[in-house]
Amino acid sequence: MANRNDEQTGGVYLLRQGEAGNAIAIARMLQAGLQPFIPSLDTGTDLAVEIDGRFVRLQVKTSSFADKRAAKGARRFSLRRSTHNQGKREYQKETPHFFLCVSLPSEDIYVVPFATLKGRKGRKRPGSITIRSEDSRKNAWHLLQKREYTDAQQ
């Protein structure tokens, strides 16, 4: 197991945390009766699911850290794409349709539509999001069926 210092350098710990989040998301999707697809190339989409003849793109974000500024039980999730040698950058409107925010160690999943995110200070999208444990998007798999979240990006 990697030590906690790796997380500060973007090392092995964060990579394993992301892999754990993907595995949890896949398991929960299967439990919910969804059939996830895993893209063979890294296109900014971790998973996809076919719903009513259309593919819905999903980006998994994993957090094991409490947000010190928020209420107890809240988690902060980075919504930026890590490009390794280029630093972090925002997702474009083409990807994804939804963020699946996986909270560790509880393994709770929050389904967050990309189209609902609004940035502050002149930015189009926020760089991170804080989610409280009782948020209504927890296990909200039904949101994946709403066309208004996917049709706007087609």
Side-chain angles (χ1 to χ4, degrees):
M1 176 152 214
N3 73 42
R4 297 294 274 181
N5 290 333
D6 285 340
E7 69 198 20
Q8 296 170 350
T9 62
V12 177
Y13 179 78
L14 287 180
L15 180 62
R16 289 187 178 160
Q17 176 178 292
E19 290 171 354
N22 281 359
I24 291 166
I26 290 168
R28 293 291 169 83
M29 289 174 72
L30 291 169
Q31 290 172 342
L34 300 168
Q35 179 61 52
F37 297 94
I38 303 169
S40 58
L41 297 173
D42 182 7
T43 61
T45 298
D46 288 330
L47 303 170
V49 63
E50 184 182 359
I51 296 179
D52 298 329
R54 60 197 162 81
F55 280 97
V56 177
R57 297 182 301 271
L58 309 168
Q59 180 64 37
V60 179
K61 294 296 181 178
T62 310
S63 178
S64 61
F65 304 104
D67 184 348
K68 294 179 177 118
R69 296 176 296 172
K72 186 176 181 181
R75 294 276 186 251
R76 178 174 292 278
F77 297 89
S78 171
L79 299 182
R80 294 197 177 170
R81 183 174 184 186
S82 177
T83 56
H84 305 292
N85 58 353
Q86 298 175 9
K88 295 190 178 255
R89 63 180 190 190
E90 293 181 19
Y91 286 90
Q92 301 302 312
K93 69 177 187 173
E94 302 85 45
T95 58
H97 291 119
F98 293 87
F99 287 107
L100 299 181
C101 296
V102 180
S103 178
L104 297 177
S106 68
E107 299 185 9
D108 292 329
I109 297 181
Y110 301 87
V111 181
V112 180
F114 181 85
T116 64
L117 298 172
K118 303 287 185 244
R120 296 182 298 180
K121 300 178 185 173
R123 294 175 60 190
K124 291 183 179 180
R125 303 280 179 232
S128 64
I129 185 173
T130 298
I131 300 178
R132 300 176 82 145
S133 58
E134 68 275 5
D135 191 287
S136 64
R137 296 170 290 191
K138 183 176 182 178
N139 299 317
W141 300 110
H142 65 279
L143 294 176
L144 300 179
Q145 298 175 348
K146 296 195 174 213
R147 286 190 175 271
E148 65 261 28
Y149 297 135
T150 56
D151 289 349
Q153 293 182 33
Q154 299 300 335

